[in-house]
Amino acid sequence: MKNSPEITAHLNKLLTLNFNTERAFINTAEAIESDSVAKFLRLISHDRSQFIKALDSAIRDQGSVPEYPEVTVPLTIGYGLNEILKNIKASNNEEFIFTEIGKIQMMDIERYQAVINKFDFSEKLESTLKKQKENLVMTLYAINVYKDSCSRNKIAV
């Protein structure tokens, strides 16, 4: 496959993105008071774990070695995730929290789409990346449904 080192580099970026996001969601779930939000964060962190396994396999299929971030290093993710997570931990408003989680999902959807658009992948790898992106989209949809439910409950009360 042409561009294999460049493809591997982008796959490693997605691997790191999912690894850090999974850790962030787990840490946030442990620090938040809302059981429903904590359960949701654990659920989507499990999705990220599955993404990591698939990306690890895809990188190895490219003949490369996956590059995981250092676990001992404090979580520094960039692209505003640390600020979003700080806002989530400081809030008790579930609608606000889900809005912030939705921002993370949206940023990651955009990153996946950029990688998908950049390369001509094998059918298997493209399918894997598209399925992961679609999973992020479905999670974003679920977030919006939950936020709508929260809004309706406020109006009904």
Side-chain angles (χ1 to χ4, degrees):
M1 184 182 284
K2 207 165 33 163
N3 296 331
S4 188
E6 191 176 358
I7 288 172
T8 300
H10 280 81
L11 293 176
N12 270 312
K13 286 179 184 176
L14 289 176
L15 178 84
T16 297
L17 170 110
N18 284 296
F19 184 84
N20 286 335
T21 303
E22 176 197 28
R23 279 182 50 209
F25 284 164
I26 289 169
N27 291 341
T28 303
E30 292 171 358
I32 203 160
E33 290 183 27
S34 169
D35 286 338
S36 61
V37 175
K39 286 177 186 175
F40 185 80
L41 286 168
R42 286 187 199 96
L43 178 68
I44 61 176
S45 70
H46 176 74
D47 289 345
R48 297 304 179 112
S49 174
Q50 298 305 307
F51 293 1
I52 292 164
K53 290 175 186 174
L55 288 165
D56 182 289
S57 178
I59 292 166
R60 290 179 194 282
D61 288 348
Q62 292 283 320
S64 296
V65 177
E67 297 173 9
Y68 288 88
E70 292 290 325
V71 178
T72 56
V73 174
L75 190 62
T76 55
I77 300 166
Y79 68 90
L81 184 56
N82 287 334
E83 188 65 31
I84 292 171
L85 292 171
K86 191 167 67 172
N87 291 341
I88 289 171
K89 289 178 183 177
S91 178
N92 286 326
N93 180 320
E94 288 187 1
E95 189 174 356
F96 172 78
I97 291 169
F98 277 102
T99 297
E100 296 299 292
I101 295 168
K103 288 178 186 177
I104 295 167
Q105 296 295 103
M106 194 64 216
M107 288 185 286
D108 292 353
I109 290 167
E110 291 170 359
R111 283 177 172 69
Y112 266 85
Q113 192 60 55
V115 171
I116 291 167
N117 290 344
K118 187 169 181 139
F119 299 104
D120 195 18
F121 293 108
S122 69
E123 192 174 312
K124 179 182 175 185
L125 181 53
E126 185 166 343
S127 175
T128 298
L129 294 175
K130 284 182 176 181
K131 283 179 186 174
Q132 290 181 358
K133 186 191 92 170
E134 184 61 28
N135 189 299
L136 294 171
V137 170
M138 294 306 292
T139 302
L140 185 60
Y141 176 74
I143 289 167
N144 287 327
V145 168
Y146 186 82
K147 284 179 10 188
D148 186 48
S149 173
C150 288
S151 294
R152 288 182 185 174
N153 288 342
K154 284 181 186 176
I155 293 170
V157 173

